[in-house]
């Protein structure tokens, strides 16, 4: 897919942060874009802002946890634009705590949005891309997929590792089958978005953990993202380059991703357990 002009992109989690930057970037390249998000007001604002600048976009309120909703998203995309070429399974959330303090429903929320949301997107859209014999899927993981062991973020690390495993398997299977559909994994470190506030979407009845070391770590991550985080637009530039070049890994923070892989390798080779990353480390 060298030419993206006139093609159709679907982006989940598109009302904010990286997802919105992707939508903006795709519009700038002449694409039609379907923005999907669970936050209706933010979605409406994002769509209106892009349309005010002449963009050919629609918004579809979608909860990616729900396979029927993702199926309806695909149907609305085809009905509006007749095709779909690029799918960014990007919606993601984080909550956590010390292992035994994390309620089952918090685990379900993180796995349902992050992992099953991506899986739903792949299962629903891949047949459409295959039928066209072209297209590309970008799944958003995180450096947390490579760098496990961040204290109190176990569900997030698990969900992002699962996305990495899914996306690697899919890329290899499609390539082996000679498919013309490309697959990429986006695994950023800190980016300036609303991710530190993602517990805003916690399901009813699930409360955020208030253990002091969790609160301290969250504050530290928030400050780090605000001070040194990448702009979402810079991440979007990397995504579009990767789609054009059919590149699997999109690593906005390659040093962090590689350090995570090296840490695991060292653990396997030496048997020495790495220290947990806690606030202040
Ligand atoms: N910001 C970072 O530092 C960072 C680092 C690594 C990975 N990521 C990943 O990037 C992706 C985008 O996050 P972001 O940083 O832009 O955060 P963000 O909070 O600004 O945007 C995430 C969007 O996902 C939406 N969303 C949440 N639950 C949803 C659901 N069930 N269905 C549909 N949409 C839903 C939210 O409403 C929001 O608009 C996530 O997968 C996140 O894990 C972010």
């Amino acid at each position: 897919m060298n030419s993206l002009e006139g093609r159709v992109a679907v982006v989940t989690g598109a009302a904010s942060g990286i997802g919105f930057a992707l939508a903006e970037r795709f519009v700038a390249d002449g694409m039609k874009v379907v923005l999907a998000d669970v936050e209706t007001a933010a979605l409406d604002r994002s769509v209106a802002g892009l349309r005010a600048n002449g963009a050919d976009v629609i918004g579809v309120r979608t909860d990616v946890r729900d396979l029927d909703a993702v199926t309806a998203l695909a149907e609305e995309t085809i009905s509006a634009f007749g095709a779909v070429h690029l799918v960014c399974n990007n919606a993601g959330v984080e909550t956590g705590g010390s292992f035994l303090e994390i309620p089952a429903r918090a685990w379900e929320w993180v796995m349902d949005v992050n992992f099953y949301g991506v899986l739903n997107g792949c299962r629903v859209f891949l047949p459409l891309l295959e039928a066209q014999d072209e297209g590309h899927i970008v799944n958003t993981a995180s450096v947390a997929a490579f760098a496990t062991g961040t204290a109190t973020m176990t569900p997030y690390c698990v969900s992002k590792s699962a996305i990495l495993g899914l996306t690697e398997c899919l890329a290899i299977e499609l390539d082996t089958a000679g498919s013309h559909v490309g697959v990429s994994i986006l695994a950023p470190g800190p980016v300036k978005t609303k991710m530190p506030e993602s517990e805003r979407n916690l399901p009813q009845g699930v409360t955020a953990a208030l253990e002091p070391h969790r609160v301290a770590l969250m504050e530290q991550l928030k400050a780090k993202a605000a001070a040194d985080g990448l702009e979402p637009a810079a991440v979007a530039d990397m995504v579009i380059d990767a789609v054009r070049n059919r590149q699997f890994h999109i690593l906005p923070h390659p040093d962090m991703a590689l350090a995570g892989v090296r840490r695991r390798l060292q653990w396997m080779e030496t048997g020495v357990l790495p220290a947990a990353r806690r606030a202040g480390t």
Side-chain angles (χ1 to χ4, degrees):
M1 285 214 309
N2 280 330
S3 170
L4 298 176
E5 176 108 38
R7 304 292 181 97
V8 181
V10 174
V11 183
T12 69
S16 175
I18 296 171
F20 182 68
L22 289 172
E24 270 189 312
R25 185 66 176 76
F26 298 155
V27 162
D29 271 50
M31 298 187 84
K32 300 163 188 169
V33 182
V34 180
L35 291 88
D37 205 288
V38 79
E39 290 188 345
T40 311
L43 180 63
D44 291 347
R45 274 196 306 276
S46 302
V47 169
L50 292 171
R51 278 194 182 146
N53 293 322
D56 199 356
V57 299
I58 60 166
V60 181
R61 202 259 172 202
T62 310
D63 187 334
V64 296
R65 295 177 292 178
D66 178 357
L67 182 61
D68 290 343
V70 178
T71 303
L73 170 66
E75 286 164 2
E76 289 207 41
T77 301
I78 299 299
S79 138
F81 296 128
V84 54
H85 303 94
L86 173 57
V87 178
C88 296
N89 293 307
N90 168 76
V93 294
E94 194 281 329
T95 193
S98 297
F99 187 77
L100 290 178
E101 302 299 321
I102 304 169
R105 289 195 55 217
W107 270 101
E108 280 162 18
W109 180 57
V110 174
M111 293 306 290
D112 284 352
V113 178
N114 294 6
F115 176 66
Y116 284 100
V118 168
L119 180 62
N120 288 340
C122 292
R123 290 184 62 211
V124 167
F125 284 99
L126 181 59
L128 301 174
L129 304 181
E130 286 289 17
Q132 276 170 194
D133 204 25
E134 66 168 353
H136 203 103
I137 297 175
V138 179
N139 292 337
T140 303
S142 161
V143 290
F146 302 106
T148 48
T150 303
T152 81
M153 291 181 67
T154 303
Y156 189 74
C157 290
V158 170
S159 69
K160 295 300 185 179
S161 300
I163 294 170
L164 177 63
L166 163 73
T167 311
E168 287 177 347
C169 289
L170 185 59
I172 292 168
E173 181 175 325
L174 292 183
D175 189 59
T176 306
S179 169
H180 293 133
V181 176
V183 180
S184 300
I185 188 93
L186 169 61
V191 184
K192 289 178 179 156
T193 71
K194 286 174 78 181
M195 179 50 49
E197 298 149 49
S198 75
E199 287 171 329
R200 68 188 183 274
N201 286 315
L202 273 171
Q204 266 193 343
V206 183
T207 47
L210 293 174
E211 301 159 88
H213 72 286
R214 157 101 184 151
V215 174
L217 181 74
M218 289 300 113
E219 285 306 317
Q220 183 181 308
L221 292 179
K222 202 170 173 176
K224 184 160 176 50
D228 313 325
L230 276 180
E231 292 298 335
V235 176
D237 287 345
M238 294 175 198
V239 170
I240 210 144
D241 285 349
V243 172
R244 287 217 168 89
N245 299 321
R246 240 185 122 109
Q247 170 194 326
F248 179 74
H249 290 104
I250 311 172
L251 302 174
H253 299 83
D255 293 351
M256 290 178 79
L258 289 172
V261 173
R262 285 196 191 101
R263 202 169 99 113
R264 177 173 283 160
L265 194 59
Q266 205 175 13
W267 185 1
M268 292 169 80
E269 284 173 345
T270 65
V272 179
L273 203 69
R277 286 191 195 76
R278 300 180 76 91
T281 63

